[in-house]
Amino acid sequence: MKAIVQDRYGPPETLTLADVDTPVPAPDEVLVRVEAAALNAYDWHAMRGDPRMARLALGRSRPRARIRGRDFAGRVEAVGARVRQVRPGDAVFGDLGDANGAFAEYVCVHESLVAAKPANLTPQQAAALPLAGVTALLGLGAGPVEPGHRVLVNGASGGVGTLAVQLATALGATVTAVCSTRNVELVRSLGAEHVVDYTRDDFARDARRYDVVFDLVGNRSLRALRRVLTPTGTLVLSGGGVYRGGSLIGPIGLIARGRLLAPFVRHRIVVLTAVPGRQHLDTLRAHAETGRLTPVIDRSYPLHEVPQAMRYLEGEHARAKVVITV
C-alpha cells in the first residue's frame, strides 16, 4: 500500500510517499480502507519532534511511529476474530492516537478507537472530527459549560476552535471568539456572539469576564488568561502553538506552570488531555447528525501532497481543518 513515511525528524520534506506492507488486523483490531485523513497540530509536532522534550514520548532520535497521521475515515475491510461491534463494509471514523498511521491507504486500529461515521458527513468532514472534536468536547466539559455561561475561545478559527464555538453555542453559552481579521465572519457564522480581532484588540484588557476561558493557542501568560475569568471561572489549557523554528519546551511550559499554580489559586485551571475512544466519537456523531456540529474544511490535498499540506498547516496560515483525500 501507499503511505506517507518519515525516518527522521525534520521539515515537511522529510515526509515521503512510499510502498509499505498492508497491515494485518490483530484479533481485536479492524482493517480500514482509508478514504480521508486530517491534519492536527499534533502531526507537525510529531514530524519535527518539537518541542524537543516531546521526543521523550515520540522517540528520542527518530519518530517511533514511521507513518504520520492520527485522524481518519473510511470503510472496514476486515475484522479480527474477537471484534464484535464493527463489521466489514461499515463506514467508520476514528483516531489512532500516538500509534499514528492515518496518512496511508489502510490502517489497523483497535475496535474501541472507531465508531460509525456520521451519516450526514462526507469522509473528509468525518476525518476532521476525532482529535479536534474530542478536544473541544472535553475542554467545554471541564468547565463545565452550562446555559447562560460566558465562554471565551482563544484560537477560535482553528480546528478545535471552530468546533468548540459550535458546541458551546449548542450548550446555550454566550461565546466570545478570538481570531484574526480574516476569520471574523467565519466564527460569527458558527455562533460566536462576540468576536475579538487580536490584530486590533486585546481580550485580556477587555472589561468582559468569562465563566470559562478555553485557550487553544498557548501564546498568553497565565496572568493574562486568568485576568478575564470570573472569580469562580475555569481556565482550560490546550494550546498547540505554531512552528517558530524549534524549541525546548514550547507550549509545555505554559501547561507546566498551569499545573503548578492550580492548587494555589481560586480559579480552576485544567490541563486538557484528549483521550481517543468510541464513547466520545459517538457523542460527536450525535452532534453532527442533529446539525449542531459541522466541521469546516479549509483545504483538501491528495495523499502524495501531505508535505505541502503540512507546510500550510504549520505556518499559521490554515484555518479550521486541513484534510487529505486518499
Side-chain angles (χ1 to χ4, degrees):
M1 69 170 187
K2 300 290 186 182
I4 296 294
V5 302
Q6 181 185 23
D7 293 312
R8 62 183 177 86
Y9 291 121
E13 289 73 24
T14 60
L15 304 176
T16 60
L17 184 68
D19 289 306
V20 300
D21 293 336
T22 301
V24 177
D28 54 1
E29 290 182 334
V30 300
L31 177 68
V32 178
R33 172 68 171 89
V34 178
E35 295 176 320
L39 275 66
N40 296 283
Y42 171 92
D43 296 311
W44 74 254
H45 283 292
M47 176 187 72
R48 290 190 178 268
D50 182 76
R52 288 188 292 279
M53 282 202 53
R55 298 185 186 189
L56 296 174
L58 299 172
R60 289 179 180 271
S61 59
R62 61 182 179 178
R64 188 173 292 116
R66 189 169 182 240
I67 301 175
R68 296 272 63 78
R70 289 181 55 153
D71 289 351
F72 66 93
R75 288 198 175 269
V76 176
E77 290 273 319
V79 301
R82 293 201 295 265
V83 172
R84 295 291 179 267
Q85 300 189 49
V86 183
R87 291 184 288 186
D90 287 353
V92 297
F93 73 127
D95 175 0
L96 294 168
D98 293 340
N100 287 262
F103 300 157
E105 292 178 321
Y106 293 89
V107 297
C108 270
V109 56
H110 194 280
E111 68 167 330
S112 66
L113 298 180
V114 298
K117 181 183 78 68
N120 60 328
L121 298 188
T122 66
Q124 290 76 20
Q125 289 174 313
L129 269 182
L131 179 56
V134 171
T135 302
L137 271 179
L138 297 181
L140 297 174
V145 173
E146 299 176 356
H149 272 182
R150 289 162 292 179
V151 176
L152 180 134
V153 180
N154 185 29
S157 63
V160 179
T162 50
L163 299 174
V165 169
Q166 295 178 69
L167 289 172
T169 300
L171 289 169
T174 298
V175 179
T176 295
V178 182
C179 64
S180 64
T181 306
R182 75 181 184 121
N183 296 318
V184 167
E185 293 308 314
L186 169 64
V187 296
R188 280 183 176 150
S189 73
L190 298 176
E193 187 166 327
H194 307 288
V195 181
V196 177
D197 178 351
Y198 67 74
T199 68
R200 300 177 180 178
D201 300 300
D202 183 357
F203 70 83
R205 298 184 181 279
D206 194 273
R208 292 191 184 96
R209 294 295 177 263
Y210 303 93
D211 300 288
V212 177
V213 170
F214 196 178
D215 179 50
L216 299 166
V217 186
N219 65 344
R220 303 304 299 268
S221 68
L222 288 174
R223 182 186 297 272
L225 294 168
R226 290 178 54 224
R227 185 182 299 136
V228 297
L229 284 171
T230 63
T232 58
T234 298
L235 170 61
V236 182
L237 299 174
S238 184
V242 295
Y243 183 67
R244 300 190 185 282
S247 65
L248 177 61
I249 59 174
I252 296 174
L254 179 67
I255 289 170
R257 289 191 292 275
R259 287 188 190 276
L260 291 171
L261 184 64
F264 306 104
V265 296
R266 61 181 178 176
H267 295 130
R268 289 183 64 235
I269 300 178
V270 178
V271 175
L272 197 61
T273 301
V275 180
R278 182 184 294 119
Q279 177 183 359
H280 300 316
L281 295 174
D282 286 341
T283 301
L284 292 172
R285 182 181 71 247
H287 283 300
E289 290 182 342
T290 55
R292 293 188 294 266
L293 190 64
T294 302
V296 178
I297 307 298
D298 181 2
R299 292 189 182 185
S300 178
Y301 295 80
L303 181 62
H304 69 274
E305 290 185 0
V306 166
Q308 291 93 314
M310 196 74 79
R311 188 176 300 109
Y312 178 68
L313 175 73
E314 70 171 358
E316 203 174 7
H317 302 297
R319 59 179 175 177
K321 295 297 293 186
V322 176
V323 299
I324 304 299
T325 300
V326 181

